[in-house]
Amino acid sequence: MALQGPFFGKREDAPLPRAPGTSTLGGTSSLGSANGIGGAQPFASAASAQAAATAPSADSGAKLTVGPNIKLKGVEITDCDTLVVEGTVEATMNSRVIQIAEQGAFKGSAEIDIAEVRGVFDGNLTVRQKLVIFSTGKVTGKIRYGKIVIEEGGQLSGDITFGTASGGGDGKPAVKAEPQTATA
């Protein structure tokens, strides 16, 4: 007669508590790091420090993390204060903050207060306050922004409009940008 090992028995360790309003996909926990990317190091650069200073506190609302190798497709994301994309998301959303990691990709439509792009964004993007494109970031599509910061190496292409109101917000027509690498 074989004895049952602890592997098949009851799980004795309780699940880790999660901060209120925090949701996690892909097996990463928002505990243990300020940016909600499991135990990974926070993104480090002068632009990210500047963006973090202007971004609303990540602990002050609902946060959704789409982990690496996770694909979230055909959804509308609502009532989410911060979306962290480490995998692939095809969605429509209206939120406060989106953070796209280097390996992350977002395709669809988004209306955001603050966007930090280290990966790929493709679609319609309206950033009411500040768009930050890091050196590894690539943003394509119909883009509207209040303020913009592009690190050297960051890419921006498509129909680019200053201001979040239609027609550019300042009475000037939209600027059409060809794909190119930004230089500082």
Side-chain angles (χ1 to χ4, degrees), residues 39-120:
Q41 293 294 325
F43 301 116
S45 78
S48 68
Q50 180 183 16
T54 61
S57 173
D59 297 333
S60 67
K63 184 174 190 175
L64 174 64
T65 300
V66 178
N69 302 319
I70 299 296
K71 295 177 182 166
L72 186 62
K73 184 176 180 179
V75 296
E76 181 177 345
I77 301 171
T78 58
D79 299 329
C80 176
D81 292 319
T82 303
L83 174 66
V84 178
V85 180
E86 298 172 339
T88 303
V89 175
E90 290 185 32
T92 300
M93 73 175 295
N94 187 339
S95 181
R96 289 179 33 198
V97 179
I98 187 170
Q99 299 171 333
I100 303 175
E102 276 188 49
Q103 67 275 22
F106 186 101
K107 184 174 184 174
S109 178
E111 290 188 28
I112 305 292
D113 287 338
I114 298 171
E116 299 176 2
V117 182
R118 292 171 180 82
V120 177

Coordinates of all heavy atoms in Angstrom, one line a residue, residues 39-120:
G39 N 8.5 40.4 -8.7 CA 9.7 40.8 -8.0 C 10.7 41.5 -8.9 O 11.8 41.7 -8.6
A40 N 10.2 41.9 -10.1 CA 11.1 42.5 -11.1 C 11.6 43.9 -10.6 O 10.9 44.5 -9.8 CB 10.4 42.6 -12.4
Q41 N 12.7 44.3 -11.0 CA 13.2 45.6 -10.7 C 12.4 46.7 -11.4 O 11.9 46.5 -12.5 CB 14.7 45.8 -11.2 CG 15.6 44.9 -10.4 CD 15.8 45.3 -9.0 OE1 15.7 46.5 -8.7 NE2 16.0 44.3 -8.1
P42 N 12.1 47.8 -10.7 CA 11.4 48.9 -11.4 C 12.1 49.4 -12.6 O 13.4 49.3 -12.6 CB 11.3 50.0 -10.3 CG 11.6 49.3 -9.0 CD 12.5 48.1 -9.4
F43 N 11.4 49.9 -13.6 CA 12.0 50.4 -14.8 C 12.9 51.6 -14.3 O 12.4 52.5 -13.6 CB 11.0 50.9 -15.8 CG 10.1 49.8 -16.3 CD1 8.8 49.9 -16.0 CD2 10.6 48.7 -17.0 CE1 7.9 48.9 -16.4 CE2 9.8 47.7 -17.4 CZ 8.4 47.8 -17.1
A44 N 14.1 51.7 -14.7 CA 15.0 52.8 -14.2 C 15.4 53.7 -15.4 O 16.1 53.2 -16.3 CB 16.2 52.2 -13.5
S45 N 15.1 54.9 -15.3 CA 15.6 55.9 -16.2 C 15.1 57.3 -15.7 O 14.2 57.4 -14.9 CB 15.1 55.7 -17.6 OG 13.8 56.1 -17.8
A46 N 15.7 58.3 -16.2 CA 15.4 59.7 -15.8 C 13.9 60.0 -16.2 O 13.2 60.6 -15.4 CB 16.3 60.7 -16.4
A47 N 13.5 59.5 -17.4 CA 12.2 59.8 -17.8 C 11.2 59.1 -17.0 O 10.1 59.6 -16.7 CB 12.0 59.4 -19.3
S48 N 11.5 57.8 -16.6 CA 10.5 57.1 -15.8 C 10.4 57.7 -14.4 O 9.3 57.7 -13.8 CB 10.9 55.6 -15.7 OG 12.0 55.4 -14.9
A49 N 11.5 58.2 -13.9 CA 11.4 58.9 -12.6 C 10.6 60.1 -12.7 O 9.8 60.4 -11.8 CB 12.8 59.2 -12.1
Q50 N 10.7 60.8 -13.8 CA 9.9 62.1 -14.0 C 8.5 61.7 -14.2 O 7.6 62.3 -13.6 CB 10.4 62.8 -15.2 CG 9.7 64.1 -15.5 CD 10.2 64.7 -16.8 OE1 10.9 64.1 -17.6 NE2 9.8 66.0 -17.0
A51 N 8.2 60.6 -14.9 CA 6.8 60.2 -15.2 C 6.2 59.7 -13.9 O 5.0 59.9 -13.6 CB 6.8 59.1 -16.2
A52 N 7.0 59.0 -13.0 CA 6.5 58.5 -11.8 C 6.1 59.6 -10.9 O 5.1 59.5 -10.1 CB 7.5 57.6 -11.1
A53 N 6.8 60.7 -10.9 CA 6.5 61.9 -10.1 C 5.2 62.5 -10.5 O 4.5 63.1 -9.6 CB 7.7 62.9 -10.2
T54 N 4.8 62.4 -11.8 CA 3.6 63.1 -12.2 C 2.5 62.1 -12.2 O 1.3 62.5 -12.3 CB 3.8 63.6 -13.6 OG1 4.1 62.6 -14.5 CG2 4.8 64.7 -13.7
A55 N 2.8 60.8 -12.2 CA 1.7 59.7 -12.2 C 1.0 59.7 -10.9 O 1.5 59.9 -9.9 CB 2.3 58.4 -12.6
P56 N -0.3 59.4 -11.0 CA -1.1 59.1 -9.7 C -0.5 57.9 -9.0 O 0.1 57.0 -9.6 CB -2.5 58.8 -10.2 CG -2.6 59.3 -11.6 CD -1.2 59.3 -12.1
S57 N -0.6 57.9 -7.7 CA -0.1 56.8 -6.9 C -0.6 55.5 -7.3 O -1.8 55.3 -7.5 CB -0.4 57.1 -5.4 OG 0.0 56.0 -4.7
A58 N 0.3 54.5 -7.6 CA -0.2 53.2 -8.1 C -1.0 52.5 -7.0 O -1.7 51.6 -7.3 CB 1.1 52.4 -8.5
D59 N -0.8 52.8 -5.7 CA -1.4 52.2 -4.6 C -2.8 52.7 -4.4 O -3.6 52.2 -3.6 CB -0.6 52.3 -3.3 CG 0.7 51.6 -3.5 OD1 0.8 50.7 -4.3 OD2 1.7 52.0 -2.8
S60 N -3.2 53.8 -5.1 CA -4.5 54.5 -4.8 C -5.6 54.0 -5.6 O -6.6 54.8 -5.7 CB -4.3 56.0 -5.0 OG -4.1 56.3 -6.3
G61 N -5.6 52.9 -6.3 CA -6.7 52.5 -7.1 C -6.6 51.1 -7.6 O -5.7 50.3 -7.3
A62 N -7.6 50.7 -8.5 CA -7.6 49.4 -9.1 C -6.5 49.2 -10.1 O -6.3 50.1 -10.9 CB -9.0 49.2 -9.7
K63 N -5.8 48.1 -10.0 CA -4.6 47.9 -10.8 C -4.7 46.5 -11.5 O -5.0 45.5 -10.8 CB -3.3 48.0 -10.0 CG -2.1 47.9 -10.9 CD -0.9 48.1 -10.0 CE 0.4 48.2 -10.8 NZ 1.5 48.6 -9.9
L64 N -4.5 46.4 -12.8 CA -4.6 45.2 -13.5 C -3.3 44.9 -14.1 O -2.8 45.8 -14.9 CB -5.7 45.2 -14.5 CG -5.8 43.9 -15.5 CD1 -6.1 42.7 -14.7 CD2 -6.8 44.2 -16.6
T65 N -2.6 43.8 -13.9 CA -1.4 43.4 -14.5 C -1.6 42.2 -15.4 O -2.1 41.2 -14.9 CB -0.3 43.1 -13.4 OG1 -0.1 44.2 -12.6 CG2 1.0 42.7 -14.1
V66 N -1.3 42.4 -16.7 CA -1.3 41.3 -17.6 C 0.1 40.8 -17.8 O 0.9 41.4 -18.3 CB -1.9 41.7 -19.0 CG1 -1.9 40.6 -20.0 CG2 -3.3 42.3 -18.8
G67 N 0.4 39.6 -17.2 CA 1.7 39.1 -17.1 C 2.3 38.6 -18.4 O 1.6 38.5 -19.4
P68 N 3.6 38.3 -18.4 CA 4.3 37.8 -19.6 C 3.6 36.6 -20.1 O 3.1 35.8 -19.4 CB 5.7 37.5 -19.1 CG 5.9 38.2 -17.8 CD 4.5 38.4 -17.2
N69 N 3.6 36.4 -21.4 CA 3.0 35.3 -22.1 C 1.5 35.2 -22.0 O 0.9 34.1 -22.3 CB 3.7 34.0 -21.7 CG 5.2 34.0 -21.9 OD1 5.6 34.5 -22.9 ND2 5.9 33.5 -20.9
I70 N 0.8 36.2 -21.4 CA -0.6 36.2 -21.3 C -1.2 37.0 -22.5 O -0.6 38.1 -22.8 CB -1.1 36.8 -20.0 CG1 -0.5 36.0 -18.8 CG2 -2.6 36.9 -19.9 CD1 -1.1 34.6 -18.8
K71 N -2.2 36.5 -23.1 CA -2.9 37.3 -24.2 C -4.3 37.5 -23.8 O -5.1 36.6 -23.5 CB -2.9 36.5 -25.5 CG -1.5 36.3 -26.1 CD -1.5 35.4 -27.3 CE 0.0 35.2 -27.8 NZ 0.1 34.2 -28.7
L72 N -4.7 38.8 -23.7 CA -6.0 39.2 -23.3 C -6.6 39.9 -24.6 O -6.1 40.9 -25.1 CB -5.9 40.2 -22.2 CG -7.2 40.7 -21.5 CD1 -8.0 39.5 -20.9 CD2 -6.9 41.7 -20.5
K73 N -7.7 39.3 -25.1 CA -8.1 39.7 -26.4 C -9.6 40.0 -26.4 O -10.4 39.2 -25.8 CB -7.8 38.6 -27.5 CG -8.2 39.0 -28.9 CD -7.7 37.9 -29.9 CE -8.1 38.3 -31.3 NZ -7.6 37.3 -32.2
G74 N -10.1 41.0 -27.1 CA -11.5 41.3 -27.4 C -12.2 41.7 -26.1 O -13.4 41.3 -25.9
V75 N -11.7 42.6 -25.3 CA -12.3 43.0 -24.1 C -12.4 44.5 -24.1 O -11.7 45.2 -24.8 CB -11.6 42.5 -22.8 CG1 -11.6 41.0 -22.7 CG2 -10.2 43.0 -22.8
E76 N -13.3 45.0 -23.2 CA -13.3 46.4 -22.9 C -12.9 46.5 -21.4 O -13.6 45.9 -20.5 CB -14.7 47.0 -23.1 CG -14.8 48.4 -22.7 CD -16.2 49.0 -23.0 OE1 -17.0 48.4 -23.7 OE2 -16.5 50.1 -22.5
I77 N -11.9 47.3 -21.1 CA -11.4 47.4 -19.8 C -11.9 48.7 -19.2 O -11.7 49.8 -19.7 CB -9.8 47.4 -19.8 CG1 -9.3 46.1 -20.4 CG2 -9.3 47.6 -18.3 CD1 -7.8 46.1 -20.6
T78 N -12.7 48.5 -18.1 CA -13.3 49.7 -17.4 C -12.9 49.6 -15.9 O -12.6 48.6 -15.4 CB -14.8 49.7 -17.6 OG1 -15.3 48.5 -17.0 CG2 -15.2 49.8 -19.0
D79 N -13.1 50.8 -15.3 CA -12.9 50.9 -13.8 C -11.5 50.4 -13.4 O -11.3 49.8 -12.3 CB -14.0 50.1 -13.0 CG -15.4 50.7 -13.3 OD1 -15.5 51.9 -13.6 OD2 -16.3 49.9 -13.3
C80 N -10.5 50.6 -14.2 CA -9.1 50.2 -13.9 C -8.3 51.5 -13.9 O -8.2 52.2 -14.9 CB -8.6 49.2 -15.0 SG -6.9 48.7 -14.8
D81 N -7.7 51.8 -12.7 CA -6.9 53.0 -12.6 C -5.6 52.8 -13.3 O -5.1 53.7 -14.0 CB -6.7 53.4 -11.2 CG -8.0 53.8 -10.5 OD1 -8.8 54.5 -11.2 OD2 -8.2 53.4 -9.4
T82 N -4.9 51.7 -13.2 CA -3.6 51.4 -13.8 C -3.6 50.1 -14.5 O -4.0 49.0 -13.9 CB -2.5 51.4 -12.7 OG1 -2.5 52.7 -12.0 CG2 -1.1 51.2 -13.4
L83 N -3.2 50.0 -15.8 CA -3.1 48.8 -16.5 C -1.6 48.6 -16.8 O -0.9 49.5 -17.4 CB -3.8 48.8 -17.8 CG -3.6 47.6 -18.7 CD1 -4.1 46.3 -18.1 CD2 -4.2 47.8 -20.1
V84 N -1.0 47.5 -16.3 CA 0.4 47.2 -16.6 C 0.4 46.0 -17.6 O -0.2 44.9 -17.4 CB 1.1 46.7 -15.3 CG1 2.6 46.3 -15.7 CG2 1.1 47.9 -14.3
V85 N 1.0 46.2 -18.8 CA 1.0 45.3 -19.9 C 2.4 44.7 -20.0 O 3.3 45.3 -20.5 CB 0.5 45.9 -21.2 CG1 0.5 44.8 -22.3 CG2 -0.9 46.5 -21.1
E86 N 2.5 43.4 -19.7 CA 3.7 42.7 -19.9 C 3.6 41.6 -21.0 O 4.5 41.1 -21.5 CB 4.2 42.0 -18.6 CG 4.5 43.0 -17.5 CD 4.7 42.3 -16.2 OE1 4.3 41.1 -16.0 OE2 5.4 42.9 -15.3
G87 N 2.3 41.3 -21.3 CA 2.0 40.3 -22.3 C 1.4 41.0 -23.5 O 1.9 42.1 -23.9
T88 N 0.3 40.5 -24.0 CA -0.4 41.1 -25.2 C -1.8 41.4 -24.8 O -2.5 40.5 -24.3 CB -0.3 40.1 -26.4 OG1 1.0 39.8 -26.7 CG2 -1.0 40.8 -27.6
V89 N -2.3 42.6 -25.1 CA -3.6 43.0 -24.9 C -4.2 43.6 -26.2 O -3.6 44.5 -26.8 CB -3.7 44.1 -23.7 CG1 -5.2 44.6 -23.6 CG2 -3.2 43.5 -22.4
E90 N -5.4 43.1 -26.6 CA -6.2 43.7 -27.7 C -7.5 44.1 -27.0 O -8.3 43.2 -26.7 CB -6.4 42.6 -28.8 CG -5.1 42.3 -29.5 CD -5.4 41.4 -30.7 OE1 -6.5 41.5 -31.3 OE2 -4.5 40.6 -31.1
A91 N -7.7 45.4 -26.8 CA -8.8 45.9 -26.1 C -9.1 47.3 -26.4 O -8.4 48.0 -27.0 CB -8.5 45.7 -24.6
T92 N -10.2 47.7 -25.7 CA -10.6 49.1 -25.7 C -10.6 49.5 -24.2 O -11.1 48.7 -23.4 CB -12.1 49.3 -26.3 OG1 -12.0 48.9 -27.6 CG2 -12.5 50.7 -26.2
M93 N -10.1 50.7 -23.9 CA -10.1 51.0 -22.5 C -10.1 52.5 -22.3 O -9.7 53.3 -23.2 CB -8.9 50.4 -21.8 CG -7.5 51.1 -22.1 SD -6.2 50.4 -21.1 CE -6.6 50.9 -19.5
N94 N -10.6 52.9 -21.2 CA -10.6 54.3 -20.7 C -10.1 54.3 -19.3 O -10.8 53.7 -18.4 CB -12.0 54.9 -20.8 CG -12.0 56.4 -20.5 OD1 -11.1 56.9 -19.9 ND2 -13.0 57.1 -21.0
S95 N -9.0 54.8 -19.0 CA -8.3 54.6 -17.7 C -7.5 55.8 -17.3 O -7.5 56.8 -18.1 CB -7.5 53.3 -17.7 OG -6.9 53.1 -16.5
R96 N -6.8 55.7 -16.2 CA -5.9 56.8 -15.8 C -4.5 56.6 -16.3 O -3.9 57.5 -16.8 CB -5.9 56.9 -14.3 CG -7.2 57.5 -13.8 CD -7.3 57.6 -12.2 NE -6.0 57.9 -11.6 CZ -5.8 57.7 -10.3 NH1 -6.7 57.2 -9.5 NH2 -4.6 58.0 -9.8
V97 N -3.9 55.4 -16.1 CA -2.5 55.1 -16.4 C -2.4 53.8 -17.1 O -3.0 52.8 -16.8 CB -1.7 55.1 -15.1 CG1 -0.2 54.8 -15.4 CG2 -1.8 56.3 -14.3
I98 N -1.6 53.8 -18.2 CA -1.2 52.5 -18.8 C 0.3 52.5 -18.8 O 1.0 53.5 -19.1 CB -1.8 52.4 -20.2 CG1 -1.5 51.0 -20.8 CG2 -1.2 53.5 -21.2 CD1 -2.2 50.7 -22.1
Q99 N 0.9 51.3 -18.5 CA 2.3 51.1 -18.5 C 2.6 49.9 -19.4 O 2.1 48.8 -19.0 CB 2.9 50.9 -17.1 CG 2.7 52.1 -16.2 CD 3.0 51.8 -14.7 OE1 3.0 50.6 -14.3 NE2 3.4 52.8 -14.0
I100 N 3.2 50.0 -20.5 CA 3.5 48.9 -21.4 C 5.0 48.6 -21.2 O 5.9 49.4 -21.5 CB 3.2 49.2 -22.8 CG1 1.7 49.6 -22.9 CG2 3.5 48.0 -23.7 CD1 1.3 50.1 -24.3
A101 N 5.3 47.4 -20.7 CA 6.7 46.9 -20.5 C 7.3 46.6 -21.8 O 6.7 46.6 -22.9 CB 6.7 45.7 -19.6
E102 N 8.7 46.5 -21.8 CA 9.4 46.2 -23.1 C 8.9 45.1 -23.9 O 8.8 45.1 -25.1 CB 10.9 45.9 -22.7 CG 11.7 47.2 -22.6 CD 13.2 46.9 -22.5 OE1 13.7 46.1 -23.3 OE2 13.8 47.4 -21.6
Q103 N 8.5 44.0 -23.2 CA 8.0 42.8 -23.9 C 6.5 42.9 -24.1 O 5.9 42.0 -24.7 CB 8.4 41.5 -23.2 CG 7.7 41.4 -21.8 CD 8.4 42.0 -20.7 OE1 9.2 43.0 -20.9 NE2 8.2 41.6 -19.5
G104 N 5.8 44.0 -23.6 CA 4.4 44.1 -23.7 C 3.9 44.7 -25.0 O 4.7 45.5 -25.7
A105 N 2.7 44.4 -25.4 CA 2.1 45.0 -26.6 C 0.6 45.3 -26.3 O -0.1 44.4 -25.8 CB 2.3 44.1 -27.8
F106 N 0.1 46.4 -26.8 CA -1.3 46.8 -26.7 C -1.8 47.2 -28.1 O -1.1 48.0 -28.7 CB -1.5 48.0 -25.7 CG -2.9 48.3 -25.5 CD1 -3.5 47.9 -24.3 CD2 -3.7 49.0 -26.4 CE1 -4.9 48.2 -24.0 CE2 -5.0 49.3 -26.2 CZ -5.6 48.9 -25.0
K107 N -2.9 46.6 -28.5 CA -3.5 46.9 -29.8 C -4.9 47.2 -29.5 O -5.6 46.5 -28.9 CB -3.3 45.7 -30.7 CG -3.8 46.0 -32.1 CD -3.6 44.9 -33.1 CE -4.0 45.3 -34.5 NZ -3.7 44.3 -35.4
G108 N -5.3 48.4 -30.0 CA -6.7 48.7 -29.8 C -6.9 50.2 -29.7 O -6.2 51.0 -30.2
S109 N -7.8 50.6 -28.8 CA -8.2 52.0 -28.6 C -8.1 52.3 -27.1 O -8.6 51.5 -26.2 CB -9.6 52.2 -29.0 OG -10.0 53.6 -28.8
A110 N -7.4 53.4 -26.7 CA -7.3 53.7 -25.3 C -7.4 55.2 -25.1 O -6.8 56.0 -25.9 CB -5.9 53.2 -24.8
E111 N -8.1 55.6 -24.1 CA -8.1 57.0 -23.6 C -7.6 57.0 -22.2 O -8.1 56.4 -21.3 CB -9.6 57.5 -23.6 CG -10.1 57.7 -25.0 CD -11.5 58.4 -25.0 OE1 -11.7 59.2 -24.1 OE2 -12.2 58.2 -25.9
I112 N -6.4 57.7 -22.1 CA -5.6 57.5 -20.9 C -5.2 58.9 -20.4 O -5.0 59.8 -21.2 CB -4.3 56.7 -21.2 CG1 -4.6 55.4 -21.8 CG2 -3.4 56.6 -20.0 CD1 -5.3 54.4 -20.9
D113 N -5.0 59.1 -19.1 CA -4.4 60.3 -18.5 C -2.9 60.3 -18.8 O -2.3 61.2 -19.3 CB -4.7 60.4 -17.0 CG -6.1 60.8 -16.7 OD1 -6.8 61.3 -17.6 OD2 -6.6 60.5 -15.6
I114 N -2.2 59.2 -18.4 CA -0.8 59.1 -18.5 C -0.4 57.8 -19.1 O -0.9 56.7 -18.7 CB -0.1 59.2 -17.1 CG1 -0.4 60.6 -16.6 CG2 1.4 59.0 -17.3 CD1 0.1 60.8 -15.1
A115 N 0.4 57.8 -20.2 CA 0.9 56.5 -20.9 C 2.4 56.5 -20.8 O 3.0 57.4 -21.2 CB 0.3 56.5 -22.3
E116 N 2.9 55.3 -20.4 CA 4.3 55.1 -20.4 C 4.5 53.8 -21.3 O 4.1 52.7 -21.0 CB 4.8 54.8 -19.0 CG 4.6 55.9 -18.0 CD 5.0 55.6 -16.6 OE1 5.5 54.5 -16.4 OE2 4.9 56.5 -15.7
V117 N 5.2 54.0 -22.4 CA 5.4 53.0 -23.4 C 6.8 52.6 -23.5 O 7.7 53.3 -24.0 CB 4.8 53.4 -24.8 CG1 4.9 52.2 -25.8 CG2 3.4 53.9 -24.6
R118 N 7.1 51.3 -23.1 CA 8.5 50.7 -23.3 C 8.4 49.6 -24.4 O 9.4 49.2 -24.9 CB 9.0 50.2 -22.0 CG 9.3 51.2 -21.0 CD 9.5 50.6 -19.6 NE 9.8 51.7 -18.6 CZ 8.9 52.4 -18.0 NH1 7.6 52.2 -18.2 NH2 9.2 53.3 -17.2
G119 N 7.2 49.2 -24.7 CA 6.9 48.1 -25.6 C 6.3 48.7 -26.9 O 6.7 49.7 -27.4
V120 N 5.2 48.1 -27.3 CA 4.5 48.5 -28.5 C 3.0 48.9 -28.2 O 2.3 48.1 -27.6 CB 4.5 47.3 -29.5 CG1 3.8 47.6 -30.8 CG2 6.0 46.9 -29.9

